[in-house]
Amino acid sequence: MTDLSQTPREAEPTDARGRVAELHAVRERVRCGPSERATEAQHAKGKLTARERIELLLDPGSFSEVEPLRRHRATGFGLEDKRPFTDGVVTGWGTVEGRTVFVYAHDFRIFGGALGEAHAAKIHKIMDMAIAAGAPLVSLNDGAGARIQEGVVALAGYGGIFQRNTRASGVIPQISVMLGPCAGGAAYSPALTDFVFMVRRTSQMFITGPDVVKAVTGEEISQDGLGGADVHAATSGVAHFVYDDEESCLAEVRYLLSLLPSNNREMPPRVECADPVGRRGEALLDLVPADGNRPYDMRAVIEEIVDEGEFLEVHERWAGNVICALARLDGQVVGIVANQPQHLAGVLDIEASEKAARFVQMCDAFNIPLVTLLDVPGFLPGVDQEHGGIIRHGAKLLYAYCNATVPRISVVLRKAYGGAYIVMDSQSIGADLTYAWPTNEIAVMGAEGAANVIFRRQIAASEDPEATRAELVKEYKAELMHPYYAAERGLVDDVIDPADTRATLIQGLAMLRTKHADLPSRKHGNPPQ
């Protein structure tokens, strides 16, 4: 197929009908793209075209394109002879479940999706429109980085994108969908957004590619091994969601958008709920063992509590000792932060603290109430953790909770020991409502460790140290770790039947729906980094 932008106009239309016919011909060429061969090459890689992706993301027939006829004006290195329409990026807006969403999609068939001056200007414009309209922005990334032939102006284009990403942060939801290679400075825009989606085998992200890594360090590694979807989902934590194909990936982007408000001035969309508010969760009594040393799957607890057992887990494969998820209670969106006893006994470590802190900040920015489910034995001890800055990273989670003004409810299921108990949204750092199950153990540390410290001399002087230790542990538990100790001192609002957890949370959230809290007047805080 010949690109109209590269051929002279043979006959100048002389009337309006002729001009309109020419317009439709141009639009059809723009819609089809540079050539059938380029489209076939894209499909051969297992990738969709930019417009096919937009069609999957948005409601049918809702897309309105912005600047489809834009062309670059660069010269040199043969660019003046190749000036395709769109300049390699499709921009515009449409709807997802009837709500406005802005989108830009790199077209890999044109300059490999590389960013040039005109390409960047289109992205800048659509980002400005999204911020002004107060609507989410989704980027469908499949580009080869800066357009080398255009030199430094291409790099300046990235700077404009980064600046707008930062200005939009906490104002509108920003979602990056990685559908191809993303190298160098191009990787920073996704890192500045709220959520990153990746597709296995076809998308990669890295600052320096395998060739540079080999030249500098001598290490040999593939593109997927360096920055593939599974690496960023499980090791680096860069990717929040990973899927096997583009269709399922974009379907999940639509689902995520259904759980988010359009902007920070709105509440998340509420849906009608057929799951009874007062449904008792009798299964919870069997899901969570009373023995604090026995593991269980916290996901099963969440399924039993939320509407229809449905939730969307964020960062599912990274820092598995804490669960972060979006779900609904009585149709209202909530953010859930929960320790996972099935992984590292649910302790908090560096990665878990960072994961939960970012999630709490996102929920607070977009008016999503927080529900925290505690079963935490403390922070992970060890030289690596201390030298890695567990103090600094753990403080990120503490700061995020203390700074959050959305409704906050916490429930202690079993263990809640030491500083980890305080950090996981305890009453003392501002939780609006705090509840505990009758299996709770809220204490400075476990009874065995506490008895060894408090009664060290008494145990050492005993004729039967083990028997004495067991007796003193039992005494310590009876005095300071019984289920009602915290309630008697006002540190939890009530001890509840686990089967009533769903109803209790829904009632509390309904009361807190009109909560208003002001932060001190300041330019911004200085959170730990």
Side-chain angles (χ1 to χ4, degrees), residues 150 186 195 350:
E150 294 196 30
F195 299 97
I350 289 172

Side-chain angles (χ1 to χ4, degrees), residues 3 11 72 132 146 164 168 183 224 257 333 359 365 380 410 455 467 483 505:
D3 187 342
H72 75 75
R164 287 167 173 83
D224 265 342
L257 285 166
V333 178
F359 182 77
L380 181 65
S410 64
F455 307 114
L505 289 173

Side-chain angles (χ1 to χ4, degrees), residues 20 27 56 86 106 115 117 174 256 343 388 391 400 416 463 482:
V20 170
R27 287 188 176 279
L56 285 174
T86 74
H106 298 133
L115 182 138
E117 182 183 23
Q174 299 180 85
L256 174 60
H343 187 90
I391 297 171
E463 293 182 0
H482 62 80

Side-chain angles (χ1 to χ4, degrees), residues 236-310:
S236 72
V238 170
H240 299 79
F241 305 97
V242 171
Y243 298 94
D244 289 327
D245 56 76
E246 295 189 17
E247 291 82 359
S248 58
C249 178
L250 292 169
E252 286 300 287
V253 174
R254 286 178 58 89
Y255 179 47
L256 174 60
L257 285 166
S258 76
L259 296 168
L260 300 173
S262 292
N263 56 65
N264 65 340
R265 300 183 302 277
E266 296 182 5
M267 297 298 293
R270 189 180 186 280
V271 299
E272 291 300 317
C273 176
D275 197 346
V277 170
R279 171 175 59 78
R280 284 177 58 82
E282 299 289 349
L284 293 172
L285 299 172
D286 300 314
L287 283 174
V288 181
D291 181 356
N293 294 319
R294 290 179 57 193
Y296 63 93
D297 189 355
M298 183 65 83
R299 291 187 182 92
V301 174
I302 296 172
E303 287 178 3
E304 187 64 27
I305 293 172
V306 301
D307 293 354
E308 311 293 347
E310 185 175 284

Side-chain angles (χ1 to χ4, degrees), residues 4 9 13 15-31 68-69 85:
L4 186 67
R9 295 163 64 187
D15 60 6
R17 292 183 183 277
R19 293 291 176 91
V20 170
E22 181 187 49
L23 170 64
H24 286 303
V26 171
R27 287 188 176 279
E28 179 61 18
R29 297 290 177 87
V30 172
R31 187 189 67 80
L69 305 183
F85 290 123

Side-chain angles (χ1 to χ4, degrees), residues 502-518:
R502 171 178 166 82
T504 301
L505 289 173
I506 290 173
Q507 290 166 4
L509 290 169
M511 179 275 292
L512 291 166
R513 196 158 293 150
T514 55
K515 174 188 175 181
H516 177 77
D518 289 320

